[in-house]
């Protein structure tokens, strides 16, 4: 449990995650409808869309909270169907939720390891290696933009952006191959947002496939390599950084003519979406 992220992350440019005509239904309602997208390793894919577009359902599928009904989810080229978040984590997918919780009274290094603490010695004299745990925590947090941190301070002393950075650093250290970050920016100050975006870029540099779910097109364009636009549970657009600038993304997200045209085209292709 001490492998670093770059020992298991796939090479940049190859699909870390892939969706093939993936669908999720709640009764007769299609929360996701035949969604296909590549989420390559070493790149940040920003998932954008209005409320009800299917973003939360996609996060739930990737994190193991929901099973898809049709299509395929591939991890490293292999199809998977997660039955629990534990299975998703075992496959190398780490999810950082918008309401991330830490154990506030425990130290930062305790929160970093959470049951995977390093030990030394042999049974029956094996004991916790606190010095190693502190050292690893400091190094891992420095890699995501938080140097000179006191690993013994309570996690409650960290601000929101730093707590999310702690979760990202932990995922990178324990060998995650993909990182899903759910709506991370809304409750943060500008300084906290800057820290978190710096952390997200660090994860990309380490070769992870990063999926950033956000409603903020300006921040998405700052760090994103690709942009997956969802509407009514289907793909309304799959764009790269070369396709759009920040203003284009803002017009699409603001419900401009381009986004309306995409939505109308989707409804024409899939009439059942208009009944939602």
């Amino acid at each position: 449990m001490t492998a670093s992220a770059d020992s298991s992350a796939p090479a940049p440019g190859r699909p870390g995650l892939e969706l093939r005509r993936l669908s999720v239904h709640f009764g007769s309602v299609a929360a996701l409808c035949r969604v296909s997208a590549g989420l390559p390793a070493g790149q940040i894919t920003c998932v954008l869309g209005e409320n009800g577009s299917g973003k939360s359902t996609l996060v739930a599928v990737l994190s193991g909270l929901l099973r898809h009904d049709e299509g395929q989810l591939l991890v490293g080229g292999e199809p998977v169907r997660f039955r629990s978040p534990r299975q998703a984590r075992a496959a190398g997918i780490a999810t950082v939720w918008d309401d991330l919780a830490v154990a506030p009274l425990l130290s930062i290094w305790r929160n970093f390891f959470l049951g995977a603490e390093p030990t030394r010695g042999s049974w029956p004299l094996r004991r916790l290696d606190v010095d190693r745990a502190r050292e690893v925590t400091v190094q891992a947090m420095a890699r995501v933009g938080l140097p000179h941190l006191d690993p013994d301070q309570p996690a409650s002393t960290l601000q929101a952006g730093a707590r999310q950075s702690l979760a990202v650093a932990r995922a990178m250290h324990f060998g995650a191959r993909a990182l899903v970050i759910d709506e991370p920016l809304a409750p943060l100050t500008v300084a906290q947002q800057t820290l978190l975006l710096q952390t997200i870029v660090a994860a990309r540099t380490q070769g992870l496939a990063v999926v950033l779910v956000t409603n903020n097109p300006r921040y998405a364009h700052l760090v994103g390599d690709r942009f997956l636009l969802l509407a009514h549970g289907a793909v309304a657009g799959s764009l790269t950084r070369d396709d759009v600038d920040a203003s284009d993304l803002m017009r699409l997200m603001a419900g401009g003519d381009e986004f309306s045209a995409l939505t109308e085209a989707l409804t024409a292709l899939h009439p059942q979406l208009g009944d939602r």
Side-chain angles (χ1 to χ4, degrees), residues 125-168:
L125 301 178
R126 187 181 300 276
R127 61 192 182 278
L128 180 65
D129 192 343
V130 176
D131 291 339
R132 176 62 178 161
R134 289 170 174 155
E135 178 186 1
V136 169
T137 300
V138 170
Q139 293 173 349
M141 295 299 284
R143 283 196 292 271
V144 298
L146 284 168
H148 314 303
L149 198 68
D150 178 4
D152 290 314
Q153 70 186 74
S156 59
T157 61
L158 294 175
Q159 295 184 337
R163 289 197 297 271
Q164 290 169 316
S165 295
L166 170 61
V168 174

Side-chain angles (χ1 to χ4, degrees), residues 9-86:
R14 299 182 62 186
L17 304 175
E18 188 177 356
L19 314 174
R20 292 183 182 172
R21 300 180 64 82
L22 188 141
S23 298
V24 175
H25 296 90
F26 297 109
S28 60
V29 176
L32 290 177
C33 183
R34 292 177 284 223
V35 172
S36 295
L39 310 171
Q43 294 189 21
I44 298 172
T45 302
C46 297
V47 181
L48 303 105
E50 298 178 337
N51 291 336
S53 63
K55 302 191 307 294
S56 296
T57 303
L58 177 59
V59 171
V61 171
L62 294 176
S63 62
L65 288 174
L66 278 178
R67 280 183 283 175
H68 52 283
D69 299 309
E70 300 170 1
Q72 289 183 315
L73 166 62
L74 293 89
V75 178
E78 297 294 326
V80 296
R81 186 182 292 270
F82 300 133
R83 295 181 177 273
S84 68
R86 182 185 295 273

Side-chain angles (χ1 to χ4, degrees), residues 179-204:
L179 184 66
V180 181
I181 305 175
D182 180 40
E183 300 281 7
L185 299 173
L188 306 182
T189 66
V190 172
Q192 292 167 349
Q193 289 171 350
T194 301
L195 172 61
L196 182 55
L197 290 175
Q198 179 180 335
T199 300
I200 292 169
V201 171
R204 174 180 63 188

Side-chain angles (χ1 to χ4, degrees), residues 203-263:
R204 174 180 63 188
T205 301
Q206 290 293 315
L208 277 70
V210 181
V211 181
L212 173 61
V213 179
T214 178
N215 280 323
N216 191 320
R218 185 170 295 279
Y219 281 114
H221 198 268
L222 277 174
V223 298
D225 300 295
R226 345 178 131 243
F227 310 98
L228 181 65
L229 304 178
L230 297 180
H232 300 299
V235 176
S238 182
L239 308 167
T240 69
R241 193 176 182 84
D242 293 332
D243 296 326
V244 289
D245 59 21
S247 297
D248 293 330
L249 275 182
M250 291 184 72
R251 282 196 298 271
L252 289 170
M253 288 298 297
D257 294 339
E258 299 95 332
F259 194 82
S260 297
L262 287 169
T263 302

